[in-house]
């Protein structure tokens, strides 16, 4: 019978010492029809294991749903790992961070009044137990000792940076064991004494997350993990990008040198990320360390395999490092196919306000409700109020999460933006006030996880509180399907929907240039590619090959604040913005 265990110094595979050479690849950030080629590229670089988080909020958009179809088919992903002859590490959290919306926690859970997240609070633990049961049902038959690829599972995620409820961690361990998880369990924390102490348990293998000073970090880890294998559970080989920032890169030579130092020290490693992928469907998270900063659509991460699945200079450097310590497979060189460049005329369009894409309205007479209060956990919400008789004055909101486009009697008058600390503006007299509010991504790290979205607290005009509101969500899935008339002339700054079609000889990867547009979201053949923003850094959106069609294809753009898009331009190279020096 196969076995994967831990002894005083090593991982043991079937009783023999084994080094884990893993790379992170999140199934929910990659089109499922491209899983296999990404996994194969990892094996050819010299890795023997694939690691993935499990995104609870994607699987469970409501408490009654647990979706494991298509891009969320965790079992099929693990089977694809096994088919390539590789092992797997599964990190179900339930909190994952991952620069992912809400750190992977469902909005319907984090909006429960008074819930104590990431703790022993039963209001939190009860749904966690249900989620883990459903996840373990998928993982259990795919464990290594049952002939499957899974060799390790992780408990929570960098918990020492958040809390110190050891009984909570203990309950997570018990849940895994009660449901017949027999492979070793791990935790991961940054290699600081306080974090490693608070985030681990004596009988669970501690691992560390870092990207530099490998030998020093491993010494700190060994202080807290006296026996068992040393492992860098997240070797940060790059970094994520945020809107308004730069494109983060790490020097290839220094990243390869750190990897070499890890392997020379006898440690196992999980490269975070091997392939970052894309925050499709508005799934990006955000950070808040004094200022709210949403994360970009691309999750390229300056990883060895870029967002399009192409080997980078870092890929070849890492392969060379691995080859000094372990045998690597023979290469099967494949020349990347050049990307097509062409323009598409957007021929149809209409103002967003004129389209039947607004969900059932809710009336509130006690001030503006949040997204969470009407069970709308991602995207956009329209707020409307009668302001006749109030006259012109300063419109002030106690809080805006995260960006609101303000109109009076159908004319755009300004923007309120959380990241820019803009919560007030002057508005003219009128009868109807409209605010289109965008949730730009829920905070994924720290104590602000789970905070509500939308208009927060009272909204006043000229010092008078506006009490009665009509709110309606935008049902984004309807936008690429709705019929549009030939594109008319539309006012500058008005939110509009535009569409065009284009033909392809066969399905291909594409890159959409968004540099000339303002801010919005894009669909190709119904796949929501994600957000674009002139603020940058990224200027292109990735269109995965399986989302395109032989013959006729459709692109739909929701432009929120620019002029009417007339042309969609596809280009031959990604533009992720200026890189840090």
């Amino acid at each position: 019978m196969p076995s994967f265990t831990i002894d005083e110094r090593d991982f043991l595979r079937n009783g023999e010492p084994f080094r884990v050479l893993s790379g992170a690849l999140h199934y929910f950030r990659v089109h499922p029809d491209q899983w296999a080629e990404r996994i194969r590229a990892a094996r050819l670089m010299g890795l023997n294991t694939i690691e993935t988080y499990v995104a609870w909020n994607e699987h469970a958009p409501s408490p009654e749903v647990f979706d494991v179809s298509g891009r969320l088919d965790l079992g099929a992903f693990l089977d694809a790992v096994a088919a390539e002859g590789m092992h797997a590490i599964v990190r179900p959290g339930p909190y994952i961070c991952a620069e992912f919306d809400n750190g992977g926690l469902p909005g319907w859970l984090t909006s429960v009044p008074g819930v104590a997240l990431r703790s022993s609070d039963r209001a939190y633990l009860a749904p966690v137990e249900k989620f883990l049961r459903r996840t373990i049902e998928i993982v259990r038959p795919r464990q290594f000792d049952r002939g499957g690829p899974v060799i390790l599972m992780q408990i929570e995620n960098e918990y020492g940076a958040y809390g110190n409820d050891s009984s909570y961690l203990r309950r997570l361990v018990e849940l895994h064991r009660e449901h017949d998880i027999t492979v070793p369990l791990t935790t991961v924390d940054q290699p600081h004494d306080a974090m490693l102490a608070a985030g681990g348990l004596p009988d669970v293998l501690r691992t560390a997350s870092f990207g530099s000073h490998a030998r020093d970090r491993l010494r700190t880890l060994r202080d807290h993990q006296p026996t068992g294998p040393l492992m860098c559970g997240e070797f940060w080989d790059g970094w994520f990008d945020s809107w308004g920032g730069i494109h983060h890169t790490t020097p290839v030579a220094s990243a390869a040198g750190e990897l070499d130092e890890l392997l020379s020290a006898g440690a196992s490693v999980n490269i975070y990320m091997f392939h970052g992928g894309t925050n499709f469907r508005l799934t990006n998270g955000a950070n808040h360390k004094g200022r709210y900063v949403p994360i970009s659509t691309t999750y390229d991460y300056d990883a060895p395999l870029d967002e399009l699945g192409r080997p980078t200079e870092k890929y070849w450097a890492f392969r060379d490092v691995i080859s000094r310590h372990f045998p690597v497979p023979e290469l099967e060189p494949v020349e990347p196919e050049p990307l097509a460049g062409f323009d598409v005329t957007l021929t149809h369009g209409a103002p967003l306000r004129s389209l039947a894409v607004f969900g059932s309205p809710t009336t509130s007479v006690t001030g503006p409700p949040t997204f969470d209060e009407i069970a709308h956990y991602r995207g956009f919400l329209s707020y409307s109020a009668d302001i006749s008789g109030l006259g012109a004055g300063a419109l002030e909101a106690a809080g805006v999460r995260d960006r609101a486009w303000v109109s009076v009697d159908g004319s755009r008058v300004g923007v309120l933006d959380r990241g820019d600390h803009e919560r007030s503006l002057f508005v003219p007299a009128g009868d109807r006030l409209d605010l289109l509010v965008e949730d730009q991504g829920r905070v994924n790290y720290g104590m602000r996880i789970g905070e509500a979205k939308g208009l927060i607290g009272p909204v006043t005009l000229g010092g008078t509180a506006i009490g009665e509101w009509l709110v309606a969500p935008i049902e984004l899935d309807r936008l690429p399907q709705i019929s549009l008339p030939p594109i008319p002339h539309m006012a500058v700054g008005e939110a509009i929907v535009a569409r065009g079609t284009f033909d392809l000889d066969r399905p291909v990867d594409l890159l959409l240039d968004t540099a000339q547009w303002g801010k919005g979201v894009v669909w190709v053949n119904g796949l929501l590619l994600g957000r674009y923003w002139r603020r940058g850094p990224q200027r292109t959106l990735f269109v995965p090959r399986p989302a395109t069609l032989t013959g006729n294809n459709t692109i739909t753009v929701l432009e929120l604040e620019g002029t009417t898009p007339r042309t969609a331009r596809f280009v031959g190279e990604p533009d992720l913005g200026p890189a840090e020096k």
Side-chain angles (χ1 to χ4, degrees):
M1 178 177 175
S3 65
F4 195 86
T5 57
I6 293 173
D7 75 358
E8 288 293 302
R9 302 298 294 182
D10 297 302
F11 291 111
L12 300 178
R13 185 180 65 174
N14 299 326
E16 297 295 327
F18 179 79
R19 296 273 290 282
V20 177
L21 306 176
S22 175
L25 170 61
H26 302 153
Y27 60 97
F28 46 86
R29 280 180 160 134
V30 178
H31 195 287
D33 291 348
Q34 294 182 319
W35 288 343
E37 58 196 69
R38 290 354 184 210
I39 294 165
R40 185 172 184 78
R43 184 181 66 79
L44 292 175
M45 195 179 82
L47 302 181
N48 56 34
T49 303
I50 294 292
E51 173 268 307
T52 186
Y53 283 125
V54 180
W56 184 5
N57 54 355
E58 289 297 278
H59 288 282
S62 68
E64 301 79 24
V65 172
F66 195 78
D67 184 3
V68 291
S69 63
R71 69 188 183 90
L72 299 176
D73 193 341
L74 173 61
F77 177 76
L78 295 174
D79 292 345
V81 172
E84 194 58 41
M86 300 184 75
H87 302 307
I89 300 171
V90 180
R91 303 205 284 170
Y95 164 76
I96 63 172
C97 183
E99 290 73 56
F100 203 69
D101 189 46
N102 221 24
L105 299 178
W108 52 261
L109 171 61
T110 59
S111 63
V112 173
V115 65
L117 302 177
R118 305 176 70 186
S119 79
S120 298
D121 179 10
R122 286 304 302 169
Y124 175 71
L125 264 183
V128 165
E129 290 173 0
K130 181 178 178 182
F131 159 66
L132 286 177
R133 283 196 301 270
R134 296 295 302 272
T135 302
I136 289 170
E137 286 174 6
I138 298 168
V139 176
R140 183 171 53 235
R142 294 176 170 87
Q143 295 179 94
F144 186 78
D145 56 9
R146 302 182 187 202
V150 178
I151 56 174
L152 297 170
M153 288 188 72
Q154 182 180 291
I155 301 300
E156 246 281 346
N157 191 57
E158 291 192 332
Y159 186 66
Y162 182 87
N164 58 2
D165 185 349
S166 60
S167 62
Y168 163 57
L169 296 180
R170 175 59 59 196
R171 182 58 188 143
L172 296 182
V173 171
E174 291 170 352
L175 280 168
H176 283 72
R177 297 310 186 202
E178 287 170 7
H179 295 287
D180 208 15
I181 290 299
T182 52
V183 296
L185 302 177
T186 68
T187 57
V188 67
D189 284 284
Q190 296 173 49
H192 302 289
D193 290 333
M195 292 183 185
L196 284 165
L201 293 170
D203 55 337
V204 176
L205 183 73
R206 286 176 167 91
T207 73
S209 53
F210 56 86
S212 61
H213 304 290
R215 290 191 181 275
D216 292 340
R217 310 302 194 204
L218 291 174
R219 276 195 291 269
T220 303
L221 175 60
R222 181 55 84 197
D223 290 342
H224 293 263
Q225 184 63 55
T227 64
L230 287 174
M231 182 170 180
C232 180
E234 286 188 13
F235 172 60
W236 302 329
D237 61 343
W239 207 245
F240 56 90
D241 293 345
S242 300
W243 292 114
I246 56 174
H247 173 47
H248 290 283
T249 61
T250 55
V252 172
S254 63
E258 291 290 345
L259 178 60
D260 192 34
E261 192 168 318
L262 269 171
L263 298 181
S264 297
S268 288
V269 66
N270 175 48
I271 295 170
Y272 192 99
M273 299 288 298
F274 166 71
H275 171 61
T278 308
N279 290 313
F280 296 118
R281 300 175 177 85
L282 312 188
T283 54
N284 63 280
N287 282 299
H288 198 306
K289 298 177 182 178
R291 177 173 175 262
Y292 172 81
V293 182
I295 289 161
S296 63
T297 295
T298 181
Y299 200 66
D300 177 85
Y301 213 85
D302 194 35
L305 209 66
D306 74 5
E307 187 177 12
L308 283 74
R310 304 177 304 183
T312 66
E313 186 182 350
K314 193 174 287 181
Y315 180 98
W316 303 115
F318 280 16
R319 187 177 190 276
D320 182 59
V321 167
I322 293 169
S323 72
R324 297 176 208 159
H325 300 269
F326 304 95
V328 296
E330 290 293 323
L331 282 176
E332 302 167 9
V334 176
E335 192 67 28
E337 183 177 356
L339 297 172
F342 57 93
D343 289 353
V344 177
T345 301
L346 303 181
T347 56
H348 289 68
L352 175 66
R353 57 181 166 78
S354 71
L355 300 174
V357 294
F358 294 88
S360 299
T362 299
T363 300
S364 171
V365 296
T366 58
T370 65
F371 280 52
D372 305 66
E373 287 170 331
I374 66 165
H376 181 65
Y377 302 114
R378 188 180 291 164
F380 300 83
L381 193 61
S382 170
Y383 290 80
S384 300
D386 182 352
I387 58 170
S388 56
L390 293 182
L395 178 72
E396 297 187 75
V400 178
R401 297 180 186 160
D402 301 303
R403 188 172 175 88
W405 291 269
V406 183
S407 300
V408 173
D409 294 338
S411 295
R412 181 74 57 81
V413 297
V415 175
L416 304 176
D417 186 274
R418 178 187 189 182
D420 294 334
H421 302 290
E422 297 170 338
R423 296 188 301 171
S424 66
L425 77 161
F426 182 84
V427 300
D431 296 321
R432 179 185 171 95
L433 173 71
D434 291 290
L435 292 92
L436 177 62
V437 179
E438 179 187 13
D439 158 22
Q440 294 187 120
R442 291 177 183 257
V443 172
N444 55 259
Y445 186 84
M447 304 311 292
R448 290 180 177 269
I449 298 166
E451 63 183 8
K453 290 292 188 178
L455 297 180
I456 310 299
V459 176
T460 61
L461 177 55
T464 300
I466 302 173
E468 186 167 341
W469 293 86
L470 186 69
V471 299
I474 297 178
E475 297 180 342
L476 288 176
D477 289 346
R478 295 170 61 184
L479 268 172
Q481 311 299 330
I482 199 163
S483 178
L484 297 174
I487 204 162
H489 172 74
M490 287 178 274
V492 172
E494 183 169 19
I496 68 102
V497 179
R499 183 175 299 146
T501 60
F502 59 97
D503 288 333
L504 294 172
D505 294 335
R506 54 192 169 80
V508 290
D509 288 332
L510 296 171
L511 285 166
L512 175 66
D513 182 357
T514 63
Q516 301 307 310
W517 298 345
K519 190 180 197 304
V521 298
V522 184
W523 295 258
V524 168
N525 296 328
L527 172 62
L528 179 48
L529 303 180
R531 310 174 204 265
Y532 65 86
W533 198 353
R534 187 172 291 175
R535 181 170 293 191
Q538 76 176 100
R539 296 282 189 265
T540 51
L541 289 175
F542 174 51
V543 186
R545 181 181 66 249
T548 66
L549 304 170
T550 300
N552 188 255
N553 294 261
T554 302
I555 179 171
T556 303
V557 181
L558 169 58
E559 165 59 45
L560 295 161
E561 57 188 30
T563 56
T564 305
R566 297 289 183 175
T567 302
R569 173 161 294 171
F570 293 95
V571 294
E573 287 295 328
D575 183 354
L576 300 184
E580 59 186 333
K581 300 299 184 183

